[in-house]
Amino acid sequence: MRNSSFSALFNRLGYGAMLENSPATVWTINLWDGEKKPAGMPAYSENEVQLGTGSFWQRLFKKNRGTIVQNVQTDAKNRIGMMIHQKKLNHRVNQVFCDSRQWDCSAYPAGFFDSIFIDGGHQADVVASDTRKALPLLRQGGVVLWHDFCLDKRVQEKFPHVQTVIQGVESMAGEIKKQGIQLFWINPSWLLLGIKGNAPIPSAK
């Protein structure tokens, strides 16, 4: 097993849990300018805060804790994979910067990846494109995960992007079957699990 993994469009690689807990090498695809909402605002952002100059107790009780300096997009440019670099794990990460719909995957042989995680691009056509490209690259017995997939109707009503992810997966039903992928929704979760081939099904024991 090559311990190779693949992380698809817009996945915000940053916290390092996969790398810290396995010897895997990871490929991730990100948009250099990050994901935008339909109105053009960043999909992922946070406020940078300059610490206040008061005492520890003043900051603890939210007095003079600091002021907001700027709002930064957390999935763009040098912010992509920032924590991976801080943890000095970047030598095991292959970062590809492009729209995954234009990604040329011809350099990778069939069955190259042990696991694939599809996350980030929530439009149905992006999910379908990522799925179409990813599945032939997954080895027999390998695992693919789709994030933001949930069959709970209450979740779908509250988070419309879950519906478009489901639509994207459903549009690829023929290819998923052709590739011999067994599908399992992990209930309760926002994850759809696919196992390629007739590998043993993981046990919850």
Side-chain angles (χ1 to χ4, degrees), residues 9 16 29 36 48 55 92 122 132 134 136 143-144 178 193:
L9 178 66
I29 299 178
K36 298 290 195 300
E48 277 194 342
S55 69
R92 289 164 50 203
H122 300 120
R132 184 181 302 108
V143 171
V144 57
K178 178 182 176 181
L193 168 69

Side-chain angles (χ1 to χ4, degrees), residues 90-126:
N90 48 298
H91 63 286
R92 289 164 50 203
V93 179
N94 299 281
Q95 290 180 291
V96 179
F97 296 107
C98 73
D99 184 324
S100 66
R101 289 169 293 186
Q102 278 75 56
W103 179 51
D104 180 5
C105 56
S106 61
Y108 302 89
F112 181 77
F113 295 105
D114 297 319
S115 61
I116 295 172
F117 184 54
I118 297 176
D119 179 30
H122 300 120
Q123 303 91 332
D125 67 308
V126 177

Side-chain angles (χ1 to χ4, degrees), residues 20-111:
E20 288 181 315
N21 294 285
S22 80
T25 299
V26 174
W27 278 255
T28 182
I29 299 178
N30 297 82
L31 291 174
W32 179 245
D33 290 321
E35 183 181 2
K36 298 290 195 300
K37 294 179 180 179
M41 298 297 292
Y44 304 101
S45 64
E46 64 183 24
N47 292 326
E48 277 194 342
V49 176
Q50 183 175 358
L51 293 178
T53 56
S55 69
F56 166 78
W57 297 110
Q58 286 177 312
R59 294 196 300 274
L60 180 64
F61 291 105
K62 300 183 179 179
K63 294 181 179 180
N64 202 24
R65 291 189 67 180
T67 57
I68 296 174
V69 178
Q70 62 179 334
N71 183 268
V72 296
Q73 188 170 355
T74 56
D75 69 332
K77 300 180 172 62
N78 60 356
R79 293 269 171 171
I80 300 170
M82 183 174 65
M83 292 186 180
I84 296 296
H85 291 274
Q86 290 174 351
K87 293 175 181 289
K88 301 188 185 304
L89 295 169
N90 48 298
H91 63 286
R92 289 164 50 203
V93 179
N94 299 281
Q95 290 180 291
V96 179
F97 296 107
C98 73
D99 184 324
S100 66
R101 289 169 293 186
Q102 278 75 56
W103 179 51
D104 180 5
C105 56
S106 61
Y108 302 89

